[in-house]
Amino acid sequence: MSDYTIIGKRMPRVDSRAKVMGKAKFTADLKLPGMLVGKIKRSPYAHARILNIDTSKALALPGVKAIVTGKDTEGVKWGVFAYTRDQQFIQTEKARYIGDEVAGVAAVDEETALKALDLINVTYEELPAVFDPMAAMASQTELIHEEFPNNINIHVNIDTGHVDENFEKSYYIREDTFVAPEESYFQAEPYAVLARFDHDDCLEVWCPNGGPHMKSKPLSNSFKIPLHKVKIRKIAIGGAFGGRSEICPADYICALLAKKTNCPVKIVFTREENTIATRQGHAMITTHKTGVDKEGRVLARETTCYMDGGAYSSTGPIATSVPFLSMEQAYRMGSVRYNGYRVYTNKPIRGMIRVHGRGFACGLDTQLDMIAEHLGIDPVEMRLRNSRQPGEYTSTKSYVDSCAMDETIHKAVEASGWKEKWGKLPPFHGIGIGTNSVQTGFPMGIRGGSQSFIKFNEDGEATVMSGVVDNGQGNDNMLVQIAAEELGLLPEDIHLVSADTETTSSDPGSYSQVSTFVGGHAVKIAAANCREKLFEVASKILKVDPGNLAAKNRMIFVKDNPEKCVPIKKVVRVSLLNFNSVNAEGGYWPKVDMKREWVSNPYGQMCEAFSFGTTIVEVKVDPDTGQVEVLQATAAQDVGYALNPLVLEGQFEGSVAMGGQGGMLTEYHEWKDGRCLNPTMLDYKLPLACDMPKIKNIIVESLDPKGPYGAKEAGMSIAMSAAQGYSAAVSNAIGVHMDSFPLTPDKILAAIKKKKSKAD
Amino acid sequence: MDKIDISLNINDKPFEVRVAPNDTLLEVLRDQLDLTGSKESCGEGVCGSCTVHMDDKPVRSCLTLALEAQGCNIKTVEGLANGDDLSDLQQSFIDHGAVQCGFCTPGMLMSADALLKSNPSPNEETTRKALSGNICRCTGYAKIVEAVCHAANPHDRCPDCKTDNNSGE
Ligand code: FES
Ligand code: FES
């Protein structure tokens, strides 16, 4: 495996030079001639019927070029799935959360646009609103969406059978409930979109996205123009973390304003809009009931989860399933019954987030620790007795091929000094372990595959085309590394054209951890095909069989006689002289069960590979203030194969920050009557450099038989397991199993006090 | 509000601009001068992504009025490199994998550059403190801190430090 030239190396990223020079362009940095400023009018009410919208005063304001309201649309509802079409891009009948889109303005400058927003007069009839899922299900007042009784948006039911009888057989059973409120992405870049219609009536759009092809389809539907006329352009993206995968109403409003004014229009969100009007993480109430045998092996589990979905469906069916799926991948269970309910409330829309279901996962792990304690088993041993093994099927019938879960546990235990620390640390000093698993891809039907094209230029350099998008995680570099390796070129010889719907084929996008596994794979196949063509020509020049050739460092050479060689540039030119251009394509479609569906049939092969991660965390808690000091985090993940350890480590470290440090200690939203009280960076506490512990990264390689070079995904299992490791460590430090996350000082102090008063 | 003509010295070049009294330096840099390297992430002085130097001191350009910047030497991320030659700090960010999405990078570089000017070989703790006014959502800061500590400190090398980089002035 080690004879790769470029793959597996600590290669600095190809995109970083432009970024350190301030040259990389993000959407808000763009300027086009005649460009107007767009702004969105949002509902100030959580639930209200829209009776009338009077735009006359706003239109009369000098400098206002266009106003759009629901009247300019056909009232069509959009949804990720056919059965979740519940959201208009501009509301016509009613607003369902504070921030819902009711109108858009294009004006010559920001000041004028903001003034115009104030001059738009909307008459509302306020309706009773609901702000938590339990109240929403019981509510007798007007439903948020008429077609969804009891405000239940999605119900996922999974049942392997034998659950009740296995509870009967169990030696010990526990039932516990865990809660966690909403969190937000806080991507560094506030959402922005620039749209224009070009001379051919093609819609051109620049915006941060988790997959350009996921944006083009709904825009093509809404404007009733063919897909090839929607050109989502490549642009630097300041983070996504799962929150930028779908169409955003602003995309549509911006394009509609561009159409109406015949000018380019740019909308840049405020920080508050980015928090309120993109997506948030779901608040969840999760009850796990677990039955084990004497040795602590899980025989039966019943999990019920209520998720606060906010005003619209978003990726609801996926969101309702993934917290469960991650845990069924990580742990074996004799039998299981899962009921997940995603419930509408009059709050901002919830979507997928990097640590999706922190309360769900931390709850499950906390309960395992409680059971372990009851049975007198070490938490590490408890996990090893239940951990996923290679060659098994998950409860919902996905075959797990490569799996080094146990190795991640063993290595993290070793590196963290667990054995010397567990049970031996002084008071208020604790250590905890979390393990998790993430799927490499979701079933996405016709959009599940990726295709790449490669062409050689006469100078011996190559252009690689791929639909894969880079949100900041390093996908561009990954594609360049793979192409350079396969073609025998250097990274600087590769020109990457990516994430542009005009020039690249459909791709599943980056938000299901699938960019390397599917998109990278497609580039690998295309490049290998292209190399074969080069070898055909080179074999004639060198007079050897193509099978005896290899390529490296811009040269094609005879494997057992490397002196006998020819520059790739010459091979390309010889090929051109023989009337043949050198190019190729390649595609990769994961073999998943096409009949598997999130709600109607949640069984069958989910994706081709799963990653597994363990994080062990050591903390000190100040018993007087409830403050947590994190001493060390040890993160180990089975990534399949490390294509670039430097990039991988960065993913691990970012995951510990977002999943553990922020997700478990400081990040959550507060509300008053549906209004988010902390939408800005001032009020919402993100981890800072001085907060972060030392992080030990451990890369575990299981060489997945299907992944490119054996690679799976990088870092997501760490984000999830870090949350669990943090919560376990704090619980261990204070001697109380916490059930409400994140673990803020007030909750920690209350738990310490309660424990003390019980003891007295 | 009436606009005023002012001159600003940015990256050692003079610029004449017409600004409103309430225009921030960030707005003028980005909207009028096309110096879009400085970013707006929070717009309220919290994140540090808009950090520039005024007379070698890091300031938040989203909270600085353009009027206040008159008569100062302003430096932005675009002024860190010497033409195509990156500064040691910029190169160190690349080599240590300190750049992910890159949105925080310009501000991070400007804060770090100011730190290195006052302390050429900061230790980890000093660096973490100095960068605590800059929010990065991607990296968990580990590689950024490494990049800063190793940028100018020849005693503290790691395998990611490029050997031919910064031979110590
Ligand atoms: S944009 Fe200036 S500090 Fe955040
Ligand atoms: S690299 Fe993305 S915010 Fe720092």
Side-chain angles (χ1 to χ4, degrees):
Chain A
M1 275 338 243
S2 56
D3 42 85
Y4 298 131
T5 320
I6 293 158
I7 287 296
K9 303 285 181 298
R10 298 178 73 83
M11 175 191 156
R13 283 169 49 168
V14 290
D15 54 332
S16 33
R17 187 178 166 90
K19 287 174 177 174
V20 298
M21 295 181 87
K23 282 186 186 173
K25 292 280 181 207
F26 295 80
T27 304
D29 301 337
L30 301 178
K31 233 186 218 175
L32 293 175
M35 188 173 82
L36 301 172
V37 173
K39 286 277 168 197
I40 294 171
K41 175 105 176 159
R42 301 182 178 281
S43 166
Y45 297 109
H47 200 190
R49 210 175 311 287
I50 300 167
L51 299 180
N52 186 43
I53 304 184
D54 179 0
T55 58
S56 54
K57 274 195 193 142
L59 271 172
L61 186 72
V64 172
K65 298 293 179 190
I67 294 182
V68 293
T69 67
K71 280 194 193 135
D72 298 277
T73 73
E74 294 180 32
V76 178
K77 290 184 176 177
W78 173 83
V80 178
F81 299 86
Y83 56 94
T84 62
R85 290 195 183 131
D86 62 357
Q87 186 181 12
Q88 295 176 348
F89 294 135
I90 311 178
Q91 299 313 321
T92 55
E93 314 141 15
K94 63 178 186 175
R96 294 178 177 85
Y97 76 98
I98 296 175
D100 217 346
E101 292 80 7
V102 291
V105 173
V108 288
D109 56 28
E110 188 177 7
E111 212 179 318
T112 312
L114 288 172
K115 259 190 210 147
L117 287 190
D118 283 343
L119 292 173
I120 298 174
N121 191 3
V122 188
T123 321
Y124 294 97
E125 175 199 338
E126 233 189 306
L127 299 168
V130 279
F131 304 119
D132 95 80
M134 304 320 255
M137 284 189 297
S139 169
Q140 299 294 321
T141 57
E142 180 171 323
L143 290 167
I144 297 173
H145 296 270
E146 180 176 291
E147 322 80 76
F148 291 84
N150 302 105
N151 286 318
I152 295 173
N153 166 223
I154 300 291
H155 174 203
V156 172
N157 172 250
I158 289 165
D159 197 333
T160 61
H162 310 293
V163 177
D164 299 312
E165 57 191 90
N166 282 346
F167 272 123
E168 296 273 315
K169 286 188 206 146
S170 295
Y171 168 77
Y172 179 62
I173 299 172
R174 279 201 69 99
E175 181 173 328
D176 303 280
T177 297
F178 302 90
V179 297
E182 303 80 356
E183 70 268 55
S184 277
Y185 309 90
F186 278 88
Q187 301 96 341
E189 177 198 20
Y191 194 78
V193 51
L194 167 58
R196 76 160 164 203
F197 280 85
D198 72 8
H199 53 278
D200 275 334
D201 294 327
C202 293
L203 170 59
E204 231 180 333
V205 179
W206 293 260
C207 62
N209 62 79
H213 296 276
M214 303 296 130
K215 293 268 192 187
S216 55
K217 185 70 171 104
L219 285 171
S220 133
N221 288 354
S222 317
F223 287 96
K224 301 203 166 40
I225 50 178
L227 261 178
H228 69 259
K229 288 207 158 205
V230 184
K231 303 174 178 177
I232 311 293
R233 295 304 192 196
K234 167 144 182 169
I235 188 79
I237 296 172
F241 312 116
R244 290 176 166 174
S245 47
E246 304 153 58
I247 187 87
C248 178
D251 305 341
Y252 172 78
I253 293 172
C254 195
L256 196 59
L257 288 167
K259 192 173 171 146
K260 231 178 160 176
T261 56
N262 213 5
C263 291
V265 176
K266 183 167 80 175
I267 296 177
V268 180
F269 275 19
T270 61
R271 177 49 62 186
E272 185 172 357
E273 278 181 301
N274 194 69
T275 302
I276 301 300
T278 59
R279 294 286 182 270
Q280 298 180 336
H282 292 70
M284 295 186 200
I285 304 167
T286 314
T287 302
H288 295 295
K289 179 179 168 190
T290 304
V292 296
D293 66 12
K294 267 191 182 155
E295 280 75 44
R297 287 186 191 88
V298 175
L299 299 180
R301 178 169 284 140
E302 168 146 33
T303 296
T304 307
C305 182
Y306 298 97
M307 305 186 179
D308 184 341
Y312 299 99
S313 286
S314 180
T315 44
I318 308 177
T320 315
S321 310
V322 165
F324 170 78
L325 296 175
S326 292
M327 297 324 298
E328 71 145 12
Q329 291 152 207
Y331 295 120
R332 289 181 281 169
M333 300 176 263
S335 55
V336 66
R337 182 156 55 223
Y338 172 59
N339 281 292
Y341 300 89
R342 187 179 186 275
V343 184
Y344 287 124
T345 62
N346 294 110
K347 282 158 88 182
I349 311 162
R350 279 65 199 266
M352 298 291 294
I353 191 164
R354 198 177 197 174
V355 182
H356 183 60
R358 53 181 172 167
F360 193 115
C362 293
L364 194 128
D365 256 20
T366 301
Q367 193 181 53
L368 277 185
D369 284 348
M370 291 160 128
I371 295 169
E373 192 175 291
H374 179 85
L375 300 176
I377 303 171
D378 172 276
V380 170
E381 186 52 38
M382 185 70 185
R383 277 161 186 80
L384 288 169
R385 285 183 192 175
N386 289 292
S387 60
R388 176 63 57 208
Q389 302 299 317
E392 292 177 344
Y393 281 85
T394 65
S395 298
T396 63
K397 304 196 176 78
S398 268
Y399 180 70
V400 179
D401 205 328
S402 68
C403 168
M405 172 67 107
D406 284 1
E407 196 180 334
T408 69
I409 298 176
H410 290 305
K411 289 200 165 148
V413 162
E414 171 84 31
S416 63
W418 173 279
K419 292 204 174 108
E420 299 77 60
K421 290 171 184 164
W422 173 253
K424 301 177 189 120
L425 295 171
F428 299 108
H429 192 148
I431 189 164
I433 180 172
T435 52
N436 213 317
S437 165
V438 167
Q439 43 292 136
T440 304
F442 299 147
M444 297 193 41
I446 57 167
R447 300 213 189 95
S450 183
Q451 192 190 10
S452 166
F453 298 92
I454 293 180
K455 69 176 176 89
F456 262 92
N457 301 321
E458 64 192 52
D459 57 4
E461 304 200 345
T463 303
V464 174
M465 282 167 265
S466 158
V468 168
V469 70
D470 192 330
N471 296 143
Q473 67 275 73
N475 284 339
D476 283 1
N477 196 74
M478 176 267 296
L479 300 176
V480 168
Q481 261 187 295
I482 290 177
E485 177 73 45
E486 293 299 316
L487 294 171
L489 294 177
L490 301 180
E492 54 266 39
D493 304 336
I494 307 290
H495 174 65
L496 180 67
V497 174
S498 63
D500 175 309
T501 59
E502 184 179 20
T503 49
T504 70
S505 293
S506 180
D507 176 87
S510 68
Y511 51 92
S512 65
Q513 300 79 245
V514 84
S515 297
T516 301
F517 197 90
V518 172
H521 213 148
V523 168
K524 183 171 188 274
I525 293 168
N529 291 341
C530 207
R531 187 185 57 212
E532 240 168 68
K533 288 195 178 170
L534 288 171
F535 283 3
E536 285 289 326
V537 180
S539 80
K540 288 189 189 115
I541 302 172
L542 296 170
K543 302 197 172 48
V544 286
D545 189 78
N548 289 339
L549 293 175
K552 200 193 242 185
N553 265 327
R554 301 175 176 155
M555 302 294 278
I556 292 172
F557 56 91
V558 180
K559 273 184 204 160
D560 43 23
N561 181 14
E563 252 94 280
K564 207 168 161 191
C565 59
V566 54
I568 288 177
K569 180 175 165 180
K570 180 162 177 199
V571 177
V572 173
R573 286 170 166 256
V574 169
S575 182
L576 289 170
L577 285 174
N578 286 294
F579 316 117
N580 268 322
S581 53
V582 184
N583 52 37
E585 64 90 36
Y588 188 78
W589 277 262
K591 308 288 172 294
V592 298
D593 186 343
M594 285 295 201
K595 288 199 209 78
R596 183 171 178 139
E597 204 288 325
W598 300 95
V599 176
S600 61
N601 179 35
Y603 306 98
Q605 195 68 33
M606 165 89 199
C607 53
E608 287 192 315
F610 303 91
S611 81
F612 299 88
T614 298
T615 306
I616 293 182
V617 180
E618 196 183 334
V619 302
K620 246 180 171 168
V621 174
D622 182 330
D624 298 322
T625 63
Q627 290 288 347
V628 178
E629 184 193 348
V630 186
L631 305 175
Q632 183 181 290
T634 307
Q637 190 189 304
D638 165 14
V639 299
Y641 179 70
L643 299 182
N644 184 339
L646 184 69
V647 170
L648 260 175
E649 288 166 11
Q651 288 303 305
F652 284 22
E653 289 153 0
S655 289
V656 170
M658 195 164 180
Q661 190 75 29
M664 256 317 109
L665 299 180
T666 59
E667 292 187 30
Y668 62 102
H669 278 308
E670 291 182 290
W671 304 90
K672 185 162 191 309
D673 301 334
R675 184 177 296 281
C676 180
L677 298 179
N678 57 345
T680 69
M681 282 175 161
L682 196 57
D683 310 304
Y684 188 96
K685 301 298 176 205
L686 299 163
L688 303 175
C690 56
D691 300 326
M692 291 300 299
K694 264 237 153 331
I695 300 168
K696 284 191 188 171
N697 302 304
I698 300 167
I699 293 171
V700 174
E701 299 183 319
S702 60
L703 297 180
D704 188 84
K706 299 224 173 88
Y709 311 98
K712 299 194 276 194
E713 72 87 26
M716 275 291 289
S717 283
I718 296 300
M720 299 285 289
S721 61
Q724 295 156 284
Y726 267 69
S727 87
V730 173
S731 287
N732 179 241
I734 61 174
V736 181
H737 292 290
M738 300 296 280
D739 58 9
S740 167
F741 311 105
L743 303 172
T744 48
D746 54 322
K747 290 183 197 163
I748 292 173
L749 283 181
I752 294 174
K753 204 168 152 200
K754 197 167 153 202
K755 189 183 174 208
K756 216 172 146 219
S757 69
K758 258 196 207 154
D760 290 342
Chain B
M1 263 180 283
D2 285 344
K3 298 211 170 183
I4 307 157
D5 292 317
I6 62 169
S7 49
L8 294 174
N9 186 315
I10 303 164
N11 300 329
D12 300 322
K13 276 192 216 100
F15 292 90
E16 306 297 323
V17 283
R18 169 162 282 216
V19 304
N22 61 345
D23 280 345
T24 64
L25 177 57
L26 182 62
E27 285 167 336
V28 172
L29 290 173
R30 290 180 53 83
D31 302 343
Q32 294 203 40
L33 302 174
D34 283 329
L35 290 166
T36 54
S38 308
K39 304 294 179 206
E40 177 170 332
S41 181
C42 73
E44 57 177 356
V46 182
C47 72
S49 65
C50 63
T51 306
V52 301
H53 293 180
M54 265 166 62
D55 293 336
D56 289 334
K57 284 208 184 61
V59 299
R60 296 177 184 243
S61 62
C62 73
L63 293 186
T64 307
L65 294 176
L67 289 180
E68 294 174 75
Q70 293 179 90
C72 296
N73 284 319
I74 300 160
K75 193 166 184 180
T76 69
V77 68
E78 288 92 346
L80 279 185
N82 186 357
D84 276 346
D85 288 343
L86 301 185
S87 74
D88 290 350
L89 179 66
Q90 287 173 307
Q91 189 62 48
S92 189
F93 263 57
I94 295 177
D95 296 341
H96 290 88
V99 185
Q100 288 190 22
C101 81
F103 203 82
C104 72
T105 308
M108 207 56 97
L109 283 166
M110 297 315 286
S111 292
D113 188 71
L115 166 70
L116 292 179
K117 283 214 173 80
S118 64
N119 179 356
S121 52
N123 63 20
E124 188 183 326
E125 208 191 318
T126 317
T127 306
R128 283 187 186 271
K129 252 195 209 143
L131 296 183
S132 281
N134 290 74
I135 293 177
C136 174
R137 192 55 160 160
C138 299
T139 64
Y141 304 100
K143 303 236 175 291
I144 294 177
V145 172
E146 237 166 66
V148 176
C149 289
H150 296 191
N153 192 346
H155 312 294
D156 200 6
R157 297 252 145 211
C158 74
D160 291 328
C161 290
K162 248 204 198 161
T163 39
D164 56 356
N165 179 30
N166 61 57
S167 40
E169 312 268 298

